[in-house]
Amino acid sequence: MPDIIHGFLPVFDEDCHVLILGSFPSVKSRKVEFYYGNKQNRFWPMLGRYFGEQIGEGALERRLFVLQHGIALWDIVVSCSIHGSADASIRNYVLADLNEILCVAPIQSILLNGTTAFRLFCEQYSGIAIPYLCLPSTSPANSHYNEQAWVTALDAVLNGKKKNEVKNGDEKI
């Protein structure tokens, strides 16, 4: 059995209104010790375009950026055995206890970065009262990435636009 690998601690504070959950850090993310560390991942460029700001490449700059914009980050899997970066190889996993964030931050929406994060989230949290939404993975391996889906979801929670459009379940926008 492969070794158990641990993910990152959550990034959040009492001013976060949206929680973005990935599946588990990639090899490149684990190497730089922060979320979405693969330079080909679309996550940080997408957020930079959304907010119209440049985002530094270091963990500290990225941590401060998301907190400044009311975004919490974590992965639904906190530890697992995994081969490389392939979500399909995740085994022997432990899911995140989201109460660690939800007891502190007034989270209004949970955005799941890809179908693996969504599927694993639903194993434990499908009955949660907070709206959640599966969005296209920002991974460079995802050929079906759709930035407009992310923009629409972020608008719904961060700009107060039609908050009721973000629905529970597997509906995708």
Side-chain angles (χ1 to χ4, degrees):
M1 172 164 59
D3 291 337
I4 297 294
I5 301 170
H6 296 274
F8 307 134
L9 294 174
V11 173
F12 69 100
D13 64 20
E14 63 280 351
D15 295 322
C16 291
H17 296 285
V18 62
L19 169 59
I20 297 176
L21 287 174
S23 53
F24 192 75
S26 70
V27 170
K28 290 183 180 180
S29 293
R30 295 190 305 263
K31 185 175 181 178
V32 300
E33 299 179 339
F34 200 67
Y35 297 92
Y36 308 105
N38 183 336
K39 291 181 187 261
Q40 302 303 311
N41 194 297
R42 301 169 184 109
F43 184 79
W44 295 110
M46 176 272 300
L47 277 184
R49 285 188 294 276
Y50 179 80
F51 289 106
E53 299 177 32
Q54 292 290 326
I55 305 174
E57 291 190 19
L60 179 60
E61 295 96 343
R62 290 176 171 184
R63 175 184 302 277
L64 293 172
F65 181 87
V66 292
L67 293 176
Q68 174 186 356
H69 291 288
I71 297 171
L73 292 179
W74 206 3
D75 288 312
I76 191 61
V77 174
V78 295
S79 66
C80 67
S81 56
I82 185 171
H83 296 286
S85 300
D87 280 356
S89 73
I90 292 174
R91 301 283 184 270
N92 306 312
Y93 55 86
V94 174
L95 297 179
D97 179 358
L98 298 184
N99 286 322
E100 188 172 332
I101 294 175
L102 301 178
C103 288
V104 174
I107 300 297
Q108 297 172 2
S109 184
I110 299 171
L111 305 180
L112 295 136
N113 192 345
T115 56
T116 299
F118 176 77
R119 179 179 53 80
L120 294 172
F121 171 87
C122 287
E123 281 185 16
Q124 189 163 322
Y125 296 105
S126 63
I128 197 168
I130 298 169
Y132 59 92
L133 184 65
C134 180
L135 291 167
S137 172
T138 59
S139 166
N142 179 19
S143 62
H144 301 292
Y145 175 70
N146 177 348
E147 188 161 320
Q148 187 56 49
W150 279 92
V151 168
T152 301
L154 289 168
D155 276 349
V157 68
L158 295 176
N159 290 337
K161 294 180 180 178
K162 301 179 184 175
K163 287 183 185 175
N164 294 330
E165 285 183 0
V166 179
K167 299 178 182 174
N168 283 340
D170 58 0
E171 184 171 335
K172 296 181 183 180
I173 54 174

